[in-house]
Each structure stands twice: as C-alpha cells, then as structure tokens.
Amino acid sequence: MGACPHAWQHHLPHRGRMWAASPAFRRQLFLLRSLAPTCVDGGRVSSSSLRLHAMSAAPAAAGPVYEADAEAVVRRITPPLDRARHKGQAGKIAIIGGCREYTGAPYFAAISALKVGADLSHVFCTKDAATVIKSYSPELIVHPILEESYSVRDDERESVSSSILTEVIKWMERFDCIVVGPGLGRDSFLMDCVSNIMRHARQANIPTVVDGDGLFLITNNIGLVEDNSLAILTPNVYEYKRLVQKVLNCEVNEENASEQLTALCEKIGGVTIMRKGKADLISDGKKVTQVSTFGSPRRCGGQGDILSGSVAVFSSWAWHFLSSNEQPKENSVNPMVLGCIAGSLLLRKAAALAFEKNKRSTVTTDIIEFLGQSLEDICPAGR
C-alpha cells in the first residue's frame, strides 16, 4: 500500500478504477472502516465476543441447541456513532410490500428499521398503498411502483413487469438489505413482479429477509432462495408448517425440532431460518441457536414486521462488520445468523418494556417506541 493510501487503485484495470472512485464504493469503504471492532485479536474478531453457550438441557436425540449470548452479539455488531459519519452510512433498508388491503405491515417494518438505527428506509408498494403509508410517517421514502392484476391489462403485463423491475434496479445497489413480504398480499401478478426483484437482489448480493406473504411466495417457488447464503426466512408456526410440508414432505416434529430445522436449512441450501416461537430457533444448517429471553404475553399482530425490519438492519451491520475483519474459515460466523439473534433479542426486550407500561392494551406501535431504549440499554450510544 505504501505511503499513498489509494496507491492500490492504480493496479486495478480501468473499470476497477472507475468503481473504486465511485460514490457507492467510497460509502462501502467508509462503512467497513467505521464498523471496525474496538477489541480484536490479531486483527480478527475474537470468537469469544460472538460466543454461543451450549444448553445441556437439550435432548441429545434432537441435536444440540445453543443459547446465544445475544447481548454480546448486539454490542459487537452495532456500529459506534461518530461525528464524521454522514447520511446512509449506518444502513439503507428497503421493504418490498404493501398493497391496497395491507398498509400497516410495511410501515411497521420500515419504521422499525429506522428506530433500530438505519439512516434511510424505503418502501416499494402499490400505488393504492403509497399515499396511506406516506401519511403514517414523513420519515419513510415511499415508491408507488408495484401493480396488482386488477390494474393491468393482460396485453400490458410483460411491459409493466419490465418497467417495475427497471425502476427497482435503479435503487437496488444503494441498499444494504431488503425485506420482502410485509403486506405484500397474494395477487399473482404482484407475486411475479416481486419474484423478479428477488432474483435481481440475489444477483447483486443484497441480503434479503423474507417474511409474511413473501414466505407464501417462496414456499411455492423455493428456487428464489435456494442456495442463497444471504437469504433469511422468518416463519411463524403456520408458515413454518407449510415450509416443512413443502420442502421435507412431512409434518412438523416438535420432539426433534432442532434436527428438523437443520434438515430444512440443508435441503433449501445455505439459507438462514428463524423459526419464531416461545424461543426463536435460528439455523443456517450447521447449528441451531436459540434466543429465549422472555418478551411479552401480549401477542398483538405486527410484531413479526418489527422483527423483519430489525433483523434487516442487524444483518447488514453484521455482514459489513465481519467483512471488515477477515477470519479463518473454520472460525467464520454467519452474519445472517448474528442479525437474527440481535433482532430477536431487541424485539423481546422492547415488547417486555411496552407490556410493563401498557399491559393488555399494548399494540405494535407501543413496542416500536421502545426499540430505541432497548438498544440503548444493551449498547449505549456514548460507549
């Protein structure tokens, strides 16, 4: 590297030098540097800082389950705040969802991403949903570009689908993670358009969280996430049941829950799955981790949307953090798993605080308001 910090650029081919000089590259480089750990061993992330504790109570026949040291994960991957940063460097998240019937879910996911600490949050939704979602908050950047079958003639479908993909592609390289599914609905034309968006995100190596109706989409088209190590699925009990039936061709087996989850991840290939429940079980096919911190007995709708937005932010932070700290392959940690661990813990802590204050009247917006305090309690901004 020599005395000139940018001398390495001169050894790149012409196209490489153009990319190295681009704003997108500079943003990524700054983000990688700003996420550098405060304490590393020989330039590598200490494995103890991201440790998982084995649970001796797990049944041997079901395979081992590891209880994550979730607070340590949150502290390690959350980037420090400093005055040299500018807008966008703490994360840019996009939600793909929202139709005329469902406008709350994409809002919950998008605003949760901001409350966790992302700088920018976008929503790509149908025209019918856009005005409603914009009215919820001026903080969100809303793109009314998706279409449903009722608004598109049969002879227009191909051109409209192509136009939608072209518009999304204009923005795609800016995003650190996308969330597919909140409030998406199940319109066939809309599903086809979102499938194209997912394929492009995969080609562009954009981490993708799939939740809600996005899980309905991929259950019927596993190829959209197959062998994608940057994909995260967050099914609830019913969505998980459909995935197991479709992929493993059997019923959910609670006695061998960890073994079955591992098999499901392996069968799909490379994906990370968070099976939501009393304890969230998380696996990428290599091991099963759980977060069992108690949240709230109040099960109001919308908590899954908070989770998907939170996981998107933490996964992007973890991905950039680990990219800036090369580790030996045998000690590598999956950043998507870390994102799930952190998102799970934060939601549970926020839900507990909201319930403590509001009891039976707790709703999703109450929980969202406690995301910031929950993160501050674990990882103070002034650390």
Side-chain angles (χ1 to χ4, degrees):
M1 302 286 280
C4 176
H6 304 296
W8 57 273
Q9 294 182 12
H10 302 302
H11 299 289
L12 294 171
H14 176 65
R15 181 172 293 182
R17 290 197 299 272
M18 289 177 63
W19 165 238
S22 70
F25 178 86
R26 291 198 299 272
R27 287 196 302 271
Q28 292 293 330
L29 186 60
F30 187 97
L31 183 58
L32 290 176
R33 287 171 175 167
S34 66
L35 285 173
T38 56
C39 180
V40 296
D41 296 330
R44 296 190 177 102
V45 182
S46 170
S47 60
S48 64
S49 68
L50 298 173
R51 63 191 180 278
L52 305 174
H53 298 303
M55 293 192 65
S56 58
V65 177
Y66 298 85
E67 179 72 20
D69 188 346
E71 291 198 4
V73 171
V74 171
R75 283 191 290 269
R76 178 57 76 182
I77 67 176
T78 300
L81 297 174
D82 76 62
R83 297 177 184 179
R85 305 184 116 206
H86 58 74
K87 181 176 66 178
Q89 290 180 323
K92 301 170 291 296
I93 306 300
I95 311 300
I96 314 296
C99 61
R100 61 178 174 173
E101 285 90 0
Y102 307 115
T103 58
Y107 164 74
F108 291 148
I111 202 68
S112 295
L114 291 180
K115 291 289 187 178
V116 170
D119 286 340
L120 296 169
S121 193
H122 296 246
V123 178
F124 290 83
C125 59
T126 66
K127 293 178 175 66
D128 290 333
T131 302
V132 179
I133 295 172
K134 286 181 179 182
S135 74
Y136 293 152
S137 173
E139 303 288 347
L140 307 180
I141 303 168
V142 182
H143 306 264
I145 65 169
L146 302 182
E147 299 279 2
E148 294 181 82
S149 297
Y150 73 88
S151 62
V152 182
R153 297 200 315 262
D154 289 345
D155 61 340
E156 295 177 327
R157 289 194 169 206
E158 187 174 341
S159 62
V160 171
S161 179
S162 177
S163 176
I164 290 171
L165 182 60
T166 299
E167 184 62 27
V168 175
I169 287 174
K170 291 178 185 178
W171 293 89
M172 189 65 75
E173 73 164 25
R174 309 183 191 194
F175 300 135
D176 298 294
C177 188
I178 67 170
V179 180
V180 175
L184 185 63
R186 298 184 180 182
D187 178 81
S188 59
F189 178 72
L190 182 54
M191 288 284 192
D192 288 342
C193 292
V194 172
S195 296
N196 291 333
I197 293 171
M198 290 185 68
R199 292 186 186 100
H200 182 79
R202 179 173 183 167
Q203 292 171 358
N205 288 322
I206 307 295
T208 301
V209 179
V210 186
D211 187 47
D213 291 319
L215 290 166
F216 177 82
L217 171 62
I218 66 100
T219 298
N220 294 305
N221 190 354
I222 294 296
L224 289 172
V225 293
E226 196 169 22
D227 299 320
N228 184 0
S229 62
L230 295 180
I232 298 172
L233 314 183
T234 59
N236 60 25
V237 60
Y238 304 110
E239 293 158 345
Y240 185 75
K241 179 180 179 180
R242 287 193 289 268
L243 264 176
V244 168
Q245 290 173 337
K246 179 72 174 184
V247 177
L248 299 180
N249 196 30
C250 65
E251 297 300 321
V252 174
N253 185 339
E254 296 295 350
E255 292 184 3
N256 295 290
S258 63
E259 189 176 61
Q260 190 172 61
L261 177 58
T262 301
L264 182 61
C265 294
E266 290 177 342
K267 186 73 171 180
I268 298 175
V271 302
T272 297
I273 298 177
M274 179 195 289
R275 180 188 174 184
K276 296 182 289 194
K278 183 178 179 181
D280 291 334
L281 295 180
I282 303 158
S283 180
D284 58 359
K286 297 175 183 176
K287 65 174 67 174
V288 178
T289 304
Q290 77 170 13
V291 178
S292 59
T293 301
F294 183 72
S296 165
R298 174 80 167 107
R299 303 307 306 155
C300 56
Q303 293 186 60
D305 303 312
I306 299 175
L307 181 65
S308 64
S310 302
V311 167
V313 178
F314 281 120
S315 295
S316 66
W317 286 349
W319 191 37
H320 289 302
F321 174 79
L322 293 175
S323 296
S324 66
N325 298 278
E326 294 182 11
Q327 300 181 85
K329 219 171 189 182
E330 63 272 16
N331 294 331
S332 62
V333 182
N334 186 338
M336 303 300 108
V337 170
L338 297 183
C340 289
I341 291 170
S344 173
L345 177 68
L346 197 69
L347 170 60
R348 287 166 177 266
K349 284 190 168 293
L353 290 173
F355 182 77
E356 182 180 344
K357 178 182 178 182
N358 299 287
K359 298 299 188 286
R360 291 182 186 273
S361 68
T362 302
V363 293
T364 305
T365 50
D366 296 323
I367 299 172
I368 290 171
E369 287 307 308
F370 279 102
L371 289 172
Q373 180 181 326
S374 299
L375 184 55
E376 182 68 13
D377 289 346
I378 301 169
C379 185
R383 66 193 169 106

